[in-house]
Amino acid sequence: MKNLIIISAFLILLCTPALLFAQPEPNQKPTPEMEFQDAFYESLLQKGIENNDKAIVALEKCLELQPENATVYSELGRNYLAQKDYKNAFISFEKAAKIDPTNKWFLVGMYDVCYETKEYLKAIDIVTKLIEFKKEYKEDLVSLYMNTQQFDKALDLINELNEKVGKSELRDNYKYQILQEPEYQSMERINLINQIKKYPKEESNYIALIALYYKNNLDEKALELSKLLSQEIPTSDWAQVNLFQLYLISNDDANVVKSMNFVLASSKIDSKIKHRMLNEFLIYSNNKPQLDLDLDKAISFFDNDKEVAVAKEVGKFYHSKGNTQKAIRFYELYLSKNNEDIEAALLLLEAYTETAQFDVIIKKANEWIQIFPSQPQFYYFAGLGNNQLLAFKKAKELLETGLDFVVDNPALEINFYIQLGEAFSGLGDNNKKEMYFSKAENALKQTRK
């Protein structure tokens, strides 16, 4: 560590003409240059061991000897900054910059202080000067414009940098934030139109402009641009995403399916967009049985999706719309590969009940009882099915077994009591029939309190 300090001191002294290493002769009185050298060297040693107070004292002695030395002021700034004495740090760097305006590091010191103190408006003036030394500081200027909510200036600079040096994730995030405000969207539309004219083969500009058109309900303009994108870049997957939307509006079944299948098979399109497209096609095809096979094919694209159970969600959609037969078809499709999904199993049994498929209910419920022997809902559906088919003894046995597994589920408990009442009624045991119907009635009253 000591060697590093000495080397650092040596380099700084070499860069400062006033600092001379002449050693005094014996009994020779130290010259002002020697005193300056000793004091400056001492400041570097003290700074190196983070003893900033002593470093500052030594630098103040240097200033008494050389009051216009920019390097001394800069070192003072660094020591004050280390102490978080931001006021004196800025003053010191500022004095250094006034003495030597050609040294960018004095401006960097001022910028560091402003950044630490979040004085972003003051920082903008400093960074603007730093850009004259190094163009990369324009990236800092974008962030400063964002922090001071000068979004129009930020957007202009973002577009300039995107064109000259390429896009970046940070600038993309800033741009997305700015364009949430409608007042800046017209500026961006003009920019994107100009970019498309200059760079007709740059796909991203088309996509961004199409998104803006949709956001502002300019569907016709989006259609025109999608067609232009398809002409300029026929291989663009994104062209099909946007054309799909427009084919939906024009009720063009054949092209809706064609565009959807193209996008679902694409590895370039985000899965969220694919899910959204499927949902839109689901609504579109709800009353179009001629598209059932196309829907089945679309769902097959999501067979390996670990995040969303697509076939189950499609079943829920049709179930909510009262189309129980279609709901059953998709529940069965999903359960053929995910047979241990309890929610889907219960939804399917509910759909079978609504369509009075009691023999199927008994068969399926018994299969799930073997897999989930402590799940009371499966006993309930099995008992209900047997009651409907007049197999009252079997219903009674299943329902009594399942009732033991019901915990903290008043609604299910009431349904068990009702089905047990039905079973004992069929068996001719009026006492137990009345007992269970009475339990159901009392439990129902409790739930209403």
Side-chain angles (χ1 to χ4, degrees), residues 202-214:
E202 177 54 51
E203 183 183 34
S204 61
N205 292 322
Y206 292 92
I207 296 165
L209 185 52
I210 287 168
L212 278 179
Y213 281 147
Y214 277 131

Side-chain angles (χ1 to χ4, degrees), residues 3 59 63 158 164 190 201 230 248 281 315 324 339 373 379 402:
N3 288 337
L59 289 165
L63 285 177
I158 288 168
K164 290 183 177 178
I190 294 168
K201 301 300 181 182
S230 300
L248 287 177
F281 183 70
T324 312
N339 195 44
Y379 293 93

Side-chain angles (χ1 to χ4, degrees), residues 13 16-20 31-40 58-73 76 99:
L13 295 175
T16 310
L19 306 180
L20 305 175
T31 65
E33 288 79 8
M34 294 174 184
E35 291 180 12
F36 181 94
Q37 172 190 312
D38 290 342
F40 195 86
L59 289 165
E60 287 173 343
K61 183 175 180 180
C62 289
L63 285 177
E64 291 174 5
L65 296 165
Q66 294 185 19
E68 294 299 312
N69 191 305
T71 302
V72 174
Y73 279 114
L76 265 175
I99 295 169

Side-chain angles (χ1 to χ4, degrees), residues 99-161:
I99 295 169
D100 183 5
T102 64
N103 192 320
K104 78 170 184 177
W105 294 110
F106 303 154
L107 291 171
V108 170
M110 295 166 67
Y111 179 32
D112 289 343
V113 175
C114 290
Y115 196 84
E116 286 289 320
T117 56
K118 295 183 170 55
E119 295 180 87
Y120 300 126
L121 284 171
K122 188 186 289 187
I124 288 172
D125 292 334
I126 298 165
V127 170
T128 302
K129 294 175 183 176
L130 278 169
I131 289 170
E132 297 175 12
F133 292 93
K134 191 175 182 181
K135 299 297 183 186
E136 284 78 358
Y137 277 104
K138 285 188 176 183
E139 299 286 356
D140 294 65
L141 190 54
V142 171
S143 296
L144 291 170
Y145 282 146
M146 292 300 296
N147 284 327
T148 54
Q149 298 187 339
Q150 298 183 64
F151 298 133
D152 51 346
K153 292 181 179 180
L155 186 57
D156 282 341
L157 189 51
I158 288 168
N159 289 333
E160 177 191 327
L161 290 169

